[in-house]
Amino acid sequence: MYGLIFIFAFAVLCSLIFAFILRFTSAGEGSLQYIITALSFIALFGGGFLSGGKRKEKGWLIGGITGLIYSLVVFLFQYLGYDRLFDTQQVIYHTCYTLIAMMGGILGVNISTNNSRRSA
């Protein structure tokens, strides 16, 4: 749950920043596409990392579940709000998001486990 809260809070903050950039500068959406994608990967990695660190075991599983729940929420928002399904490109992105969250979960477990072993 902490990982998902982090992901969505990070997304809202980044969306607000990019909305201001798009509104008050001459930058277009196309010029920010790669930056937004990179920040999305960072958000999912951070969410998986936080989830894995809190759980302290099975980081790949908890990170994967975090990524899948994120993808499910985005899918439901898109389907129920805009009546559109994922296209092929979005399926690829969300598969990568889930894999990145899994990597974050693995690293979160390993770092939190190593820190607790050192302090004991």
Side-chain angles (χ1 to χ4, degrees):
M1 194 65 169
Y2 290 109
L4 286 172
I5 292 170
F6 172 80
I7 292 169
F8 286 113
F10 190 83
V12 166
L13 180 66
C14 287
S15 295
L16 184 65
I17 291 169
F18 284 119
F20 282 126
I21 289 172
L22 290 171
R23 172 69 176 99
F24 296 114
T25 66
S26 62
E29 288 182 41
S31 63
L32 298 174
Q33 177 183 1
Y34 295 115
I35 295 170
I36 292 170
T37 301
L39 287 174
S40 298
F41 282 123
I42 291 169
L44 268 291
F45 183 84
F49 183 86
L50 190 60
S51 295
K54 291 284 184 186
R55 177 73 183 213
K56 295 186 174 142
E57 62 181 24
K58 296 185 182 177
W60 66 272
L61 182 62
I62 196 71
I65 290 171
T66 302
L68 287 174
I69 292 173
Y70 169 78
S71 294
L72 178 68
V73 169
V74 171
F75 173 76
L76 289 174
F77 182 79
Q78 182 173 326
Y79 180 70
L80 296 174
Y82 296 104
D83 198 27
R84 293 180 50 207
L85 296 173
F86 278 173
D87 60 10
T88 306
Q89 183 181 14
Q90 287 174 313
V91 169
I92 293 169
Y93 273 116
H94 283 274
T95 301
C96 292
Y97 289 158
T98 302
L99 292 173
I100 290 291
M102 288 171 111
M103 286 186 236
I106 291 168
L107 192 61
V109 165
N110 288 329
I111 287 178
S112 70
T113 303
N114 287 340
N115 285 341
S116 64
R117 285 182 188 160
R118 287 183 192 149
S119 62

